[in-house]
Amino acid sequence: GIDVGSGTTGLITYMRTDSVNLSDGALGDLHDVIVKIYGSEYSLKHPRQFAKKSKNAQEAHEAIRPTDARLIPDEIRQALSPDEYKLYNLIWKRAVASQMAVALLDSVSIDIDAKRQFVFRATGSSVRFPGFMKLYIEGNDTSDDEKKEEEGMLPQLEEGAGLELIELKPEQHFTQPPPRFTEASLVKALEELGIGRASTY
């Protein structure tokens, strides 16, 4: 355990498990933290339950989660090494986000009339209500600008609004074959196919 100001305590549950179950006590704590930090509109009326992905899932333990969701990562950062903080922050965010309201996205198309000679069309999504995305977006390893481009997020625009040309990028895109397995995607495939177990991946 680690001393975070109230004595030595373990910060996460048993880590060698692929279980997706959370105890009723943990669900209650997560709900209270969400309401306190983000407000009741970001909480769920009924806890979200997840089905196991693989036939060999270990159900003897809970999912990996903070032992006390009220231990907010930034508030205990000084007690953790940089690597411990990164790991605890990831576990805390994923656990809390798993019990937050869904994000509401609108599919939108924007036609840009350039000097009445050219029409450019952008299609993508705009966020109506961020829900869990306010806290956590999976694969959030790139800068905000790169992330918006990759996810096809468009800014909020009003009809008839004037736009300023910043840059033109003449690019051509081709359909790409599926990427090779990464360590994470290989483990996910093994789980879905029921091959092996968490300790052997």
Side-chain angles (χ1 to χ4, degrees), residues 143-184:
S143 73
D144 286 344
D145 291 339
E146 291 171 345
K147 196 172 39 180
K148 282 186 181 177
E149 286 178 11
E150 288 172 6
E151 295 172 2
M153 302 301 286
L154 298 177
Q156 292 287 343
L157 293 174
E158 296 294 325
E159 188 171 346
L163 301 176
E164 180 184 343
L165 174 62
I166 297 173
E167 182 183 5
L168 281 176
K169 292 182 182 178
E171 295 176 347
Q172 188 172 6
H173 296 280
F174 295 96
T175 303
Q176 297 294 316
R180 293 178 183 262
F181 280 116
T182 63
E183 187 175 340

Side-chain angles (χ1 to χ4, degrees), residues 32-69:
D32 293 345
V33 166
I34 292 165
V35 171
K36 180 181 176 186
I37 297 175
Y38 299 102
S40 59
E41 66 272 17
Y42 285 88
S43 67
L44 299 171
K45 289 182 181 174
H46 304 288
R48 184 177 288 122
Q49 303 288 343
F50 296 92
K52 62 182 180 178
K53 288 184 182 178
S54 76
K55 294 177 265 187
N56 297 332
Q58 300 173 28
E59 299 298 329
H61 300 279
E62 274 191 86
I64 303 169
R65 65 165 177 86
T67 54
D68 184 352

